[in-house]
Amino acid sequence: MWILNPQFGIVNSILYELFGIQGPGWFTDPYTVIPSFVLMQLTAVGSTMIIFLASLQQLPKELYEAAAIDGAGAWRRFRNITVPLISPVILFNGIIALISSFQIFTQAYVITDGGPDWMSYFYVYYLFETAFFQNRIGYASAQAWILFLIIFALTFLSLYVSRKSVHYEYDK
C-alpha cells in the first residue's frame, strides 16, 4: 500500500522525479486498481523462480555439450533441450499460478475493501462476505464448491492439453 500510495508512495515519487509524470492513484482509481493488483502479484514470483532455477540446475550438461559439438546454436539448444526437459516444471508453475489467480483475497480485503467502484470485489472476497458478514454459510459453501469445480476443470484441461507437450523422464 505504501509503495503505490498516490501522495507519498515511492513509485509515484520515482515517476515524478525521473520523468515529471504525476503518477496515478493506483488503488483509488477504478481504471488502475486491477493493473495495480497484477503489478503487486508480479513482485511475488520469487518462489516460482526458485523452482525454475532448481530445475535448470539439474539439467545434464552432457546434452548441451553434445548439441554444441553437433553445431546447435544457443536458441536451438534452448528450444530442443531446455524447454522439453523442464516442461513438467513449466506445467506445474502454470497450474499453481492458475490456481492462485482465483484466490486473490487478502490484498483486496486489506487495501481496497472491494473498491473503488467494486472493481476489486473478487469472487473469493464475495464468498468471504457471504459467509461472515451475511451469515449465509450454506450459500458460501456452495460458492466454494463452484470455485473448486472451476479450478478443477481448468487444471484438468491444462493437464489434458499439455499431455503431448510435457515430457517426463520416465515416459514410455
Side-chain angles (χ1 to χ4, degrees):
M1 257 172 62
W2 177 79
I3 291 173
L4 296 175
N5 188 295
Q7 283 83 30
F8 56 85
I10 192 166
V11 173
N12 282 358
S13 298
I14 290 172
L15 285 174
Y16 187 74
E17 291 295 323
L18 293 181
F19 305 108
I21 300 171
Q22 184 64 37
W26 296 96
F27 293 115
T28 57
D29 184 5
Y31 298 106
T32 60
V33 69
I34 298 297
S36 301
F37 279 114
V38 170
L39 181 67
M40 213 168 63
Q41 289 299 107
L42 286 176
T43 63
V45 296
S47 59
T48 304
M49 289 300 118
I50 289 173
I51 293 170
F52 274 125
L53 180 62
S55 69
L56 289 171
Q57 287 179 340
Q58 61 89 30
L59 294 178
K61 307 277 187 269
E62 299 84 23
L63 292 175
Y64 291 100
E65 292 169 1
I69 290 170
D70 287 342
W75 173 250
R76 194 161 193 188
R77 287 191 305 260
F78 175 75
R79 194 182 77 216
N80 293 329
I81 297 172
T82 306
V83 171
L85 288 178
I86 67 166
S87 60
V89 175
I90 295 170
L91 176 65
F92 172 78
N93 280 336
I95 289 174
I96 295 300
L98 174 79
I99 292 169
S100 67
S101 70
F102 279 94
Q103 297 176 340
I104 296 177
F105 166 74
T106 307
Q107 298 90 339
Y109 182 70
V110 171
I111 296 172
T112 63
D113 201 26
D117 293 336
W118 302 98
M119 290 299 291
S120 65
Y121 194 70
F122 300 113
Y123 186 77
V124 177
Y125 192 95
Y126 175 55
L127 192 152
F128 172 78
E129 273 198 351
T130 302
F132 297 109
F133 290 117
Q134 299 172 11
N135 291 324
R136 298 171 62 196
I137 303 299
Y139 187 68
S141 218
Q143 288 176 316
W145 273 102
I146 290 170
L147 179 64
F148 167 75
L149 292 175
I150 290 170
I151 291 173
F152 180 80
L154 289 173
T155 302
F156 183 78
L157 181 67
S158 298
L159 290 171
Y160 181 77
V161 167
S162 68
R163 73 185 189 282
K164 291 183 180 173
S165 60
V166 175
H167 307 284
Y168 296 102
E169 187 173 349
Y170 300 108
D171 261 350
K172 294 179 183 175

